[in-house]
Amino acid sequence: MVRLELKRAAGFLPEDWLSGRLDALKDAAEKLRTGSGAGGAFTGWVTLPEDALNGEELPRVKAAAKRIQEQSKVLVVIGIGGSYLGARAVYELLGKGEGGVELLFAGNSLSTDDLMGVIRAIGGRDFSVNVISKSGTTTEPAVAFRVFKELLEKRYGKAGARERIYATTDGERGALCAAAEQEGYERFLVPDAVGGRYSVLTAVGLLPLAAAGVDVDGLLSGALAERNVLAVGGEDNAAWRYAAARSALYEQGKNIEVLASYEPSFRMFTEWWKQLFGESEGKEGKGIFPAGVSYTADLHSMGQYIQEGRRALFETVVWFERSRETLAVPSQPGNADGLEFLAGKSLSFVQEQAMEGTALAHADGGVPNLRLTVEAVSAQQTGALLYFFEYACGLSGYLLGVNPFDQPGVEAYKKNMFALLGKPGYEQRREELLGKL
Protein backbone atom coordinates (compact mmCIF):
# COMPACT_ATOMS: atom_id res chain seq x y z
CA MET A 1 0.00 0.00 0.00
CA VAL A 2 1.25 3.47 -0.92
CA ARG A 3 1.24 5.95 1.97
CA LEU A 4 1.15 9.72 1.55
CA GLU A 5 2.79 12.12 3.98
CA LEU A 6 2.22 15.87 3.73
CA LYS A 7 4.10 17.10 6.80
CA ARG A 8 6.55 19.12 4.70
CA ALA A 9 3.77 20.54 2.54
CA ALA A 10 1.20 21.43 5.20
CA GLY A 11 2.44 25.00 5.58
CA PHE A 12 1.88 25.66 1.89
CA LEU A 13 -1.66 24.29 1.64
CA PRO A 14 -4.79 26.38 2.32
CA GLU A 15 -7.07 25.29 5.12
CA ASP A 16 -9.69 23.90 2.73
CA TRP A 17 -7.22 22.15 0.37
CA LEU A 18 -9.01 18.83 0.90
CA SER A 19 -12.44 19.68 2.28
CA GLY A 20 -13.08 22.14 -0.54
CA ARG A 21 -12.38 19.43 -3.13
CA LEU A 22 -14.16 16.43 -1.65
CA ASP A 23 -17.26 16.82 -3.80
CA ALA A 24 -15.16 17.20 -6.95
CA LEU A 25 -13.08 14.17 -5.95
CA LYS A 26 -16.19 12.11 -5.33
CA ASP A 27 -17.46 13.07 -8.78
CA ALA A 28 -14.09 12.26 -10.40
CA ALA A 29 -13.93 8.87 -8.68
CA GLU A 30 -17.44 8.07 -9.91
CA LYS A 31 -16.46 9.02 -13.45
CA LEU A 32 -13.51 6.64 -13.26
CA ARG A 33 -15.65 3.87 -11.79
CA THR A 34 -18.41 4.14 -14.36
CA GLY A 35 -16.51 5.48 -17.37
CA SER A 36 -18.99 8.35 -17.56
CA GLY A 37 -16.49 11.22 -17.75
CA ALA A 38 -14.57 12.70 -20.67
CA GLY A 39 -12.53 9.94 -22.28
CA GLY A 40 -14.51 7.33 -20.36
CA ALA A 41 -14.13 4.82 -23.18
CA PHE A 42 -10.47 4.55 -22.14
CA THR A 43 -10.95 3.72 -18.45
CA GLY A 44 -10.53 -0.04 -18.89
CA TRP A 45 -7.35 0.19 -16.81
CA VAL A 46 -9.43 0.86 -13.67
CA THR A 47 -10.38 -2.83 -13.37
CA LEU A 48 -7.34 -4.12 -15.23
CA PRO A 49 -5.58 -5.83 -12.29
CA GLU A 50 -8.42 -8.29 -11.63
CA ASP A 51 -9.33 -8.51 -15.33
CA ALA A 52 -5.77 -9.54 -16.18
CA LEU A 53 -5.44 -11.99 -13.29
CA ASN A 54 -8.70 -13.71 -14.24
CA GLY A 55 -8.45 -13.35 -18.01
CA GLU A 56 -7.41 -15.74 -20.77
CA GLU A 57 -4.40 -13.78 -22.00
CA LEU A 58 -2.18 -14.05 -18.90
CA PRO A 59 -1.61 -17.81 -19.33
CA ARG A 60 -0.74 -17.16 -22.99
CA VAL A 61 1.68 -14.42 -21.93
CA LYS A 62 3.41 -16.78 -19.50
CA ALA A 63 3.61 -19.58 -22.09
CA ALA A 64 5.11 -17.23 -24.67
CA ALA A 65 7.54 -15.87 -22.11
CA LYS A 66 8.73 -19.39 -21.40
CA ARG A 67 9.28 -20.02 -25.11
CA ILE A 68 11.24 -16.79 -25.41
CA GLN A 69 13.45 -17.89 -22.52
CA GLU A 70 14.02 -21.26 -24.21
CA GLN A 71 14.84 -19.84 -27.64
CA SER A 72 16.77 -16.66 -26.76
CA LYS A 73 19.08 -14.83 -24.39
CA VAL A 74 17.80 -11.40 -25.42
CA LEU A 75 14.36 -9.97 -26.16
CA VAL A 76 14.32 -6.75 -28.18
CA VAL A 77 11.26 -4.73 -27.15
CA ILE A 78 10.25 -2.40 -29.98
CA GLY A 79 7.90 0.41 -29.02
CA ILE A 80 7.67 4.07 -28.10
CA GLY A 81 5.84 6.03 -25.39
CA GLY A 82 3.37 3.89 -23.52
CA SER A 83 4.35 0.90 -25.63
CA TYR A 84 7.68 0.60 -23.82
CA LEU A 85 8.06 3.04 -20.90
CA GLY A 86 6.06 0.97 -18.41
CA ALA A 87 7.91 -2.25 -19.14
CA ARG A 88 11.28 -0.52 -19.05
CA ALA A 89 10.41 1.26 -15.81
CA VAL A 90 9.54 -1.98 -14.05
CA TYR A 91 12.44 -3.91 -15.60
CA GLU A 92 15.04 -1.38 -14.51
CA LEU A 93 13.55 -1.05 -11.03
CA LEU A 94 13.18 -4.77 -10.30
CA GLY A 95 15.92 -6.18 -12.50
CA LYS A 96 16.07 -9.43 -14.44
CA GLY A 97 14.61 -12.39 -12.56
CA GLU A 98 15.89 -15.94 -12.34
CA GLY A 99 15.81 -17.62 -15.75
CA GLY A 100 14.84 -14.41 -17.48
CA VAL A 101 16.21 -12.99 -20.70
CA GLU A 102 17.86 -9.61 -21.01
CA LEU A 103 15.57 -6.89 -22.35
CA LEU A 104 16.90 -4.39 -24.87
CA PHE A 105 14.71 -1.52 -26.04
CA ALA A 106 14.51 -0.12 -29.55
CA GLY A 107 12.12 1.92 -31.68
CA ASN A 108 11.89 4.77 -29.17
CA SER A 109 14.06 7.19 -31.16
CA LEU A 110 15.33 7.84 -34.67
CA SER A 111 18.98 7.73 -33.62
CA THR A 112 21.23 5.64 -35.83
CA ASP A 113 23.81 5.31 -33.06
CA ASP A 114 21.23 4.14 -30.54
CA LEU A 115 19.83 1.49 -32.88
CA MET A 116 23.28 0.26 -33.81
CA GLY A 117 24.11 0.11 -30.10
CA VAL A 118 21.24 -2.32 -29.56
CA ILE A 119 22.44 -4.47 -32.46
CA ARG A 120 25.96 -4.53 -31.02
CA ALA A 121 24.59 -5.40 -27.58
CA ILE A 122 22.87 -8.47 -29.05
CA GLY A 123 26.11 -9.60 -30.64
CA GLY A 124 26.08 -13.28 -31.44
CA ARG A 125 23.46 -14.15 -28.85
CA ASP A 126 20.12 -15.66 -29.82
CA PHE A 127 17.37 -13.07 -29.74
CA SER A 128 13.64 -12.62 -30.22
CA VAL A 129 11.56 -9.51 -30.89
CA ASN A 130 8.41 -8.16 -29.26
CA VAL A 131 7.05 -5.39 -31.48
CA ILE A 132 4.40 -3.27 -29.74
CA SER A 133 2.22 -0.83 -31.68
CA LYS A 134 -1.52 -0.26 -31.82
CA SER A 135 -1.38 0.80 -35.46
CA GLY A 136 1.89 -0.59 -36.72
CA THR A 137 2.57 2.64 -38.59
CA THR A 138 4.19 4.80 -35.89
CA THR A 139 7.45 5.85 -37.50
CA GLU A 140 10.04 5.04 -34.85
CA PRO A 141 8.96 1.47 -33.97
CA ALA A 142 7.99 0.68 -37.58
CA VAL A 143 11.48 1.58 -38.83
CA ALA A 144 13.12 -0.39 -36.00
CA PHE A 145 10.94 -3.41 -36.74
CA ARG A 146 12.05 -3.38 -40.35
CA VAL A 147 15.67 -3.45 -39.18
CA PHE A 148 15.29 -6.26 -36.63
CA LYS A 149 13.02 -8.34 -38.85
CA GLU A 150 15.73 -8.29 -41.49
CA LEU A 151 18.34 -9.29 -38.90
CA LEU A 152 16.17 -12.17 -37.70
CA GLU A 153 15.60 -13.43 -41.25
CA LYS A 154 19.31 -13.27 -42.06
CA ARG A 155 20.20 -15.22 -38.93
CA TYR A 156 17.33 -17.72 -38.67
CA GLY A 157 15.69 -17.71 -42.09
CA LYS A 158 12.13 -16.48 -42.74
CA ALA A 159 10.49 -19.45 -41.03
CA GLY A 160 12.77 -19.18 -38.01
CA ALA A 161 12.23 -15.42 -37.80
CA ARG A 162 8.45 -15.89 -37.66
CA GLU A 163 8.87 -18.09 -34.58
CA ARG A 164 10.82 -15.34 -32.82
CA ILE A 165 8.52 -12.39 -33.51
CA TYR A 166 5.76 -11.58 -31.03
CA ALA A 167 3.33 -8.78 -31.98
CA THR A 168 1.36 -6.82 -29.40
CA THR A 169 -1.19 -4.77 -31.31
CA ASP A 170 -4.85 -4.06 -32.04
CA GLY A 171 -7.14 -7.05 -32.13
CA GLU A 172 -8.87 -6.30 -35.43
CA ARG A 173 -7.24 -3.55 -37.48
CA GLY A 174 -4.00 -1.80 -38.30
CA ALA A 175 -0.86 -2.60 -40.25
CA LEU A 176 0.79 -4.68 -37.52
CA CYS A 177 -2.39 -6.65 -36.88
CA ALA A 178 -2.59 -7.48 -40.60
CA ALA A 179 1.11 -8.38 -40.79
CA ALA A 180 0.85 -10.63 -37.73
CA GLU A 181 -2.08 -12.47 -39.25
CA GLN A 182 -0.44 -12.79 -42.66
CA GLU A 183 2.99 -13.84 -41.37
CA GLY A 184 1.78 -15.99 -38.49
CA TYR A 185 3.38 -14.07 -35.62
CA GLU A 186 2.01 -14.87 -32.19
CA ARG A 187 -0.22 -11.94 -31.37
CA PHE A 188 -1.20 -10.26 -28.12
CA LEU A 189 -3.77 -7.56 -27.51
CA VAL A 190 -3.55 -3.85 -26.86
CA PRO A 191 -7.06 -3.41 -25.38
CA ASP A 192 -9.27 -0.76 -26.99
CA ALA A 193 -10.31 0.56 -23.57
CA VAL A 194 -6.75 1.11 -22.31
CA GLY A 195 -4.59 3.95 -23.62
CA GLY A 196 -0.88 3.44 -24.11
CA ARG A 197 0.32 5.27 -21.01
CA TYR A 198 -2.02 3.15 -18.85
CA SER A 199 -1.14 -0.15 -20.55
CA VAL A 200 1.77 -1.53 -18.52
CA LEU A 201 -0.46 -4.13 -16.82
CA THR A 202 -1.67 -5.49 -20.18
CA ALA A 203 0.36 -7.71 -22.49
CA VAL A 204 2.14 -4.51 -23.55
CA GLY A 205 4.15 -4.68 -20.34
CA LEU A 206 3.46 -8.16 -19.04
CA LEU A 207 4.94 -10.13 -21.95
CA PRO A 208 8.42 -8.59 -21.92
CA LEU A 209 8.47 -8.49 -18.13
CA ALA A 210 7.47 -12.16 -17.84
CA ALA A 211 10.19 -13.04 -20.37
CA ALA A 212 12.67 -11.15 -18.19
CA GLY A 213 11.69 -13.29 -15.21
CA VAL A 214 9.75 -10.57 -13.38
CA ASP A 215 6.98 -11.82 -11.09
CA VAL A 216 4.01 -10.60 -13.13
CA ASP A 217 1.52 -12.29 -10.78
CA GLY A 218 3.01 -10.26 -7.93
CA LEU A 219 2.86 -7.11 -10.03
CA LEU A 220 -0.85 -7.64 -10.75
CA SER A 221 -1.74 -8.72 -7.22
CA GLY A 222 -0.03 -5.63 -5.83
CA ALA A 223 -1.98 -3.43 -8.22
CA LEU A 224 -5.20 -5.21 -7.28
CA ALA A 225 -4.56 -4.71 -3.56
CA GLU A 226 -3.94 -1.00 -4.18
CA ARG A 227 -7.09 -0.74 -6.29
CA ASN A 228 -9.16 -2.25 -3.48
CA VAL A 229 -7.75 0.29 -1.03
CA LEU A 230 -8.32 3.25 -3.35
CA ALA A 231 -11.85 2.14 -4.18
CA VAL A 232 -12.86 3.39 -0.72
CA GLY A 233 -13.19 7.14 -1.16
CA GLY A 234 -12.98 9.87 1.43
CA GLU A 235 -10.51 12.02 3.33
CA ASP A 236 -8.21 9.10 4.16
CA ASN A 237 -7.82 7.97 0.54
CA ALA A 238 -4.15 8.58 -0.37
CA ALA A 239 -4.86 9.14 -4.08
CA TRP A 240 -7.64 11.62 -3.26
CA ARG A 241 -5.29 13.50 -0.93
CA TYR A 242 -2.44 13.50 -3.46
CA ALA A 243 -4.70 14.76 -6.25
CA ALA A 244 -6.19 17.42 -3.97
CA ALA A 245 -2.77 18.61 -2.76
CA ARG A 246 -1.50 18.85 -6.34
CA SER A 247 -4.60 20.82 -7.33
CA ALA A 248 -4.27 23.22 -4.40
CA LEU A 249 -0.57 23.83 -5.05
CA TYR A 250 -1.26 24.37 -8.76
CA GLU A 251 -3.83 27.04 -7.93
CA GLN A 252 -1.11 28.82 -5.93
CA GLY A 253 1.19 28.94 -8.94
CA LYS A 254 3.15 25.78 -8.24
CA ASN A 255 2.98 24.50 -11.81
CA ILE A 256 6.05 22.24 -11.83
CA GLU A 257 6.11 18.92 -10.00
CA VAL A 258 9.51 17.33 -9.45
CA LEU A 259 9.33 13.58 -8.83
CA ALA A 260 12.33 12.48 -6.77
CA SER A 261 13.64 9.13 -5.65
CA TYR A 262 16.73 7.99 -3.83
CA GLU A 263 17.04 4.80 -5.88
CA PRO A 264 18.99 5.18 -9.17
CA SER A 265 17.03 2.23 -10.61
CA PHE A 266 13.90 4.40 -10.36
CA ARG A 267 14.99 6.73 -13.21
CA MET A 268 12.93 5.05 -15.92
CA PHE A 269 9.92 4.87 -13.60
CA THR A 270 10.16 8.65 -13.47
CA GLU A 271 10.13 8.72 -17.27
CA TRP A 272 6.94 6.60 -17.27
CA TRP A 273 5.39 8.94 -14.68
CA LYS A 274 6.31 11.99 -16.79
CA GLN A 275 4.43 10.63 -19.78
CA LEU A 276 1.47 9.58 -17.63
CA PHE A 277 0.91 13.00 -16.11
CA GLY A 278 2.27 15.14 -18.94
CA GLU A 279 0.09 13.55 -21.62
CA SER A 280 -2.95 13.36 -19.34
CA GLU A 281 -2.92 16.91 -17.95
CA GLY A 282 -1.00 19.03 -20.45
CA LYS A 283 -3.73 20.41 -22.69
CA GLU A 284 -6.00 23.45 -23.14
CA GLY A 285 -3.24 25.68 -21.78
CA LYS A 286 -3.41 23.85 -18.44
CA GLY A 287 -1.42 21.34 -16.45
CA ILE A 288 1.43 20.78 -14.03
CA PHE A 289 4.75 20.24 -15.81
CA PRO A 290 6.22 16.88 -14.70
CA ALA A 291 9.98 16.82 -14.08
CA GLY A 292 12.21 14.31 -12.36
CA VAL A 293 15.43 14.02 -10.39
CA SER A 294 17.45 11.17 -8.91
CA TYR A 295 18.85 11.79 -5.44
CA THR A 296 21.37 12.08 -4.01
CA ALA A 297 23.23 12.50 -7.33
CA ASP A 298 21.06 15.38 -8.56
CA LEU A 299 21.45 17.25 -5.28
CA HIS A 300 24.91 18.04 -6.66
CA SER A 301 23.46 19.44 -9.90
CA MET A 302 19.77 20.37 -9.80
CA GLY A 303 19.82 20.80 -6.04
CA GLN A 304 20.85 24.45 -6.28
CA TYR A 305 17.89 25.36 -8.48
CA ILE A 306 15.42 23.42 -6.38
CA GLN A 307 16.71 25.09 -3.23
CA GLU A 308 16.90 28.69 -4.47
CA GLY A 309 15.46 28.99 -7.99
CA ARG A 310 12.03 30.22 -9.02
CA ARG A 311 9.43 29.15 -6.47
CA ALA A 312 7.07 27.66 -9.07
CA LEU A 313 7.68 24.04 -8.11
CA PHE A 314 6.82 21.41 -5.57
CA GLU A 315 8.45 18.07 -4.92
CA THR A 316 7.05 14.56 -4.59
CA VAL A 317 9.48 12.02 -3.14
CA VAL A 318 8.99 8.29 -3.65
CA TRP A 319 10.64 6.59 -0.68
CA PHE A 320 11.28 2.86 -0.33
CA GLU A 321 11.40 1.96 3.34
CA ARG A 322 13.57 -1.15 3.04
CA SER A 323 16.54 -1.93 0.85
CA ARG A 324 16.84 -5.38 -0.66
CA GLU A 325 20.37 -5.74 0.69
CA THR A 326 22.39 -4.40 3.63
CA LEU A 327 25.76 -2.67 3.75
CA ALA A 328 27.49 -0.94 6.65
CA VAL A 329 29.99 1.90 6.33
CA PRO A 330 33.43 0.47 7.23
CA SER A 331 35.83 2.03 9.71
CA GLN A 332 38.97 3.66 8.35
CA PRO A 333 42.05 4.27 10.52
CA GLY A 334 43.19 7.86 10.48
CA ASN A 335 39.77 9.24 9.50
CA ALA A 336 41.28 11.06 6.51
CA ASP A 337 37.86 11.77 4.99
CA GLY A 338 36.34 12.94 8.27
CA LEU A 339 33.53 10.39 8.04
CA GLU A 340 34.48 8.05 10.88
CA PHE A 341 31.32 9.15 12.69
CA LEU A 342 29.45 7.05 10.09
CA ALA A 343 31.45 3.87 10.73
CA GLY A 344 29.20 0.92 11.52
CA LYS A 345 26.04 2.68 10.41
CA SER A 346 24.05 1.10 7.61
CA LEU A 347 24.14 2.88 4.26
CA SER A 348 20.33 2.78 4.27
CA PHE A 349 20.33 4.80 7.51
CA VAL A 350 22.69 7.36 5.98
CA GLN A 351 20.45 7.60 2.92
CA GLU A 352 17.36 8.13 5.06
CA GLN A 353 18.98 11.00 6.95
CA ALA A 354 20.00 12.55 3.61
CA MET A 355 16.37 12.31 2.53
CA GLU A 356 15.05 13.88 5.73
CA GLY A 357 17.64 16.65 5.65
CA THR A 358 16.85 17.43 2.02
CA ALA A 359 13.11 17.58 2.67
CA LEU A 360 13.63 20.01 5.53
CA ALA A 361 15.98 22.21 3.50
CA HIS A 362 13.71 22.32 0.46
CA ALA A 363 10.60 23.08 2.54
CA ASP A 364 12.50 25.85 4.34
CA GLY A 365 13.50 27.15 0.89
CA GLY A 366 9.89 27.43 -0.23
CA VAL A 367 9.38 24.07 -1.94
CA PRO A 368 6.41 22.02 -0.66
CA ASN A 369 7.49 18.43 -0.15
CA LEU A 370 5.08 15.50 -0.57
CA ARG A 371 6.23 11.98 0.28
CA LEU A 372 4.92 8.68 -1.07
CA THR A 373 6.21 5.78 1.00
CA VAL A 374 6.41 2.23 -0.36
CA GLU A 375 7.52 -0.69 1.80
CA ALA A 376 10.21 -2.10 -0.48
CA VAL A 377 11.36 -2.58 -4.06
CA SER A 378 9.30 -5.66 -4.94
CA ALA A 379 6.90 -6.80 -7.63
CA GLN A 380 3.89 -6.34 -5.36
CA GLN A 381 4.85 -2.86 -4.22
CA THR A 382 5.77 -1.79 -7.75
CA GLY A 383 2.34 -2.90 -8.96
CA ALA A 384 0.75 -0.89 -6.15
CA LEU A 385 2.74 2.21 -7.09
CA LEU A 386 1.84 1.89 -10.77
CA TYR A 387 -1.85 1.70 -9.95
CA PHE A 388 -1.65 4.51 -7.39
CA PHE A 389 -0.20 6.92 -9.94
CA GLU A 390 -2.64 5.87 -12.68
CA TYR A 391 -5.64 6.37 -10.41
CA ALA A 392 -4.36 9.66 -8.98
CA CYS A 393 -3.69 10.88 -12.52
CA GLY A 394 -7.26 10.15 -13.58
CA LEU A 395 -8.58 12.03 -10.56
CA SER A 396 -6.18 14.93 -11.17
CA GLY A 397 -7.24 15.31 -14.79
CA TYR A 398 -10.89 15.59 -13.87
CA LEU A 399 -10.10 18.07 -11.08
CA LEU A 400 -8.25 20.14 -13.67
CA GLY A 401 -11.24 20.01 -16.01
CA VAL A 402 -9.56 18.19 -18.91
CA ASN A 403 -9.94 14.81 -20.58
CA PRO A 404 -7.17 12.73 -18.93
CA PHE A 405 -7.28 10.07 -21.64
CA ASP A 406 -6.66 11.84 -24.95
CA GLN A 407 -3.53 13.44 -26.42
CA PRO A 408 -4.54 15.60 -29.39
CA GLY A 409 -1.32 17.61 -29.40
CA VAL A 410 0.86 14.57 -30.09
CA GLU A 411 -0.11 14.56 -33.77
CA ALA A 412 1.23 18.05 -34.56
CA TYR A 413 4.89 17.13 -34.96
CA LYS A 414 4.04 13.96 -36.89
CA LYS A 415 2.24 15.90 -39.64
CA ASN A 416 5.22 18.17 -40.12
CA MET A 417 7.68 15.28 -40.08
CA PHE A 418 5.68 13.30 -42.64
CA ALA A 419 5.47 16.35 -44.89
CA LEU A 420 9.22 17.00 -44.72
CA LEU A 421 9.95 13.33 -45.39
CA GLY A 422 7.79 13.42 -48.51
CA LYS A 423 4.95 11.14 -47.40
CA PRO A 424 2.23 10.94 -50.07
CA GLY A 425 -0.70 13.22 -49.33
CA TYR A 426 1.39 15.87 -47.56
CA GLU A 427 2.65 17.76 -50.64
CA GLN A 428 0.95 21.08 -49.90
CA ARG A 429 2.03 21.05 -46.27
CA ARG A 430 5.56 20.24 -47.39
CA GLU A 431 5.69 23.32 -49.59
CA GLU A 432 4.43 25.48 -46.73
CA LEU A 433 7.01 24.10 -44.33
CA LEU A 434 9.92 24.38 -46.76
CA GLY A 435 9.10 28.08 -47.08
CA LYS A 436 9.56 28.47 -43.33
CA LEU A 437 12.87 26.65 -43.08
Side-chain angles (χ1 to χ4, degrees), residues 43-87:
T43 54
W45 58 270
V46 174
T47 58
L48 192 55
E50 60 262 52
D51 293 344
L53 281 168
N54 299 321
E56 297 178 356
E57 193 154 46
L58 185 58
R60 290 185 57 238
V61 162
K62 292 178 180 178
K66 186 176 181 181
R67 285 196 301 278
I68 292 169
Q69 292 168 353
E70 291 169 349
Q71 68 189 181
S72 297
K73 296 295 183 183
V74 176
L75 176 65
V76 180
V77 182
I78 298 176
I80 196 167
S83 293
Y84 95 104
L85 278 171

Side-chain angles (χ1 to χ4, degrees), residues 13-44:
L13 294 169
E15 190 172 324
D16 66 344
W17 69 272
L18 181 57
S19 62
R21 290 171 172 80
L22 284 177
D23 288 342
L25 284 164
K26 183 178 180 181
D27 180 64
E30 183 65 9
K31 288 176 179 176
L32 292 179
R33 187 184 71 83
T34 61
S36 58
F42 295 96
T43 54

Side-chain angles (χ1 to χ4, degrees), residues 212-437:
V214 171
D215 177 10
V216 293
D217 287 324
L219 202 65
L220 288 167
S221 64
L224 177 56
E226 188 69 16
R227 177 183 186 267
N228 291 338
V229 169
L230 297 180
V232 180
E235 296 185 5
D236 295 328
N237 185 297
W240 283 35
R241 294 171 65 82
Y242 177 55
R246 293 178 81 251
S247 174
L249 291 169
Y250 177 64
E251 288 185 0
Q252 294 183 47
K254 303 290 187 181
N255 58 9
I256 301 170
E257 180 175 13
V258 179
L259 189 72
S261 172
Y262 286 75
E263 291 297 333
S265 60
F266 195 78
R267 282 183 184 271
M268 284 306 303
F269 202 109
T270 300
E271 295 302 309
W272 170 81
W273 173 87
K274 284 162 62 176
Q275 184 199 5
L276 179 69
F277 279 86
E279 221 170 55
S280 297
E281 291 187 321
K283 54 201 72 166
E284 300 177 22
K286 303 176 183 178
I288 297 170
F289 184 83
V293 290
S294 180
Y295 291 156
T296 57
D298 286 343
L299 290 173
H300 298 262
S301 55
M302 292 299 294
Q304 171 61 41
Y305 188 95
I306 293 171
Q307 187 68 45
E308 295 184 344
R310 290 188 65 200
R311 304 295 78 187
L313 53 86
F314 65 98
E315 194 171 37
T316 298
V317 176
V318 176
W319 176 251
F320 295 96
E321 283 186 308
R322 297 194 310 274
S323 298
R324 285 176 284 192
E325 302 186 66
T326 59
L327 179 66
V329 178
S331 178
Q332 182 176 305
N335 193 26
D337 57 11
L339 296 178
E340 191 62 18
F341 69 98
L342 296 179
K345 293 182 171 64
S346 73
L347 194 57
S348 295
F349 174 79
V350 177
Q351 182 188 54
E352 184 174 2
Q353 305 321 301
M355 182 268 294
E356 294 286 7
T358 302
L360 287 166
H362 288 178
D364 288 345
V367 178
N369 196 280
L370 291 66
R371 186 181 305 171
L372 295 170
T373 299
V374 184
E375 290 180 9
V377 178
S378 68
Q380 289 82 0
Q381 295 303 312
T382 300
L385 191 59
L386 287 167
Y387 193 88
F388 175 88
F389 276 132
E390 289 177 348
Y391 191 74
C393 185
L395 294 175
S396 293
Y398 285 138
L399 286 185
L400 190 61
V402 300
N403 178 349
F405 308 114
D406 67 354
Q407 52 281 336
V410 172
E411 298 303 314
Y413 92 90
K414 293 182 182 179
K415 293 175 182 177
N416 287 348
M417 180 179 68
F418 291 151
L420 292 171
L421 287 170
K423 184 174 181 177
Y426 287 78
E427 291 81 7
Q428 182 177 346
R429 193 179 188 92
R430 176 179 168 79
E431 293 301 317
E432 295 171 357
L433 292 175
L434 287 175
K436 295 180 181 180
L437 293 178

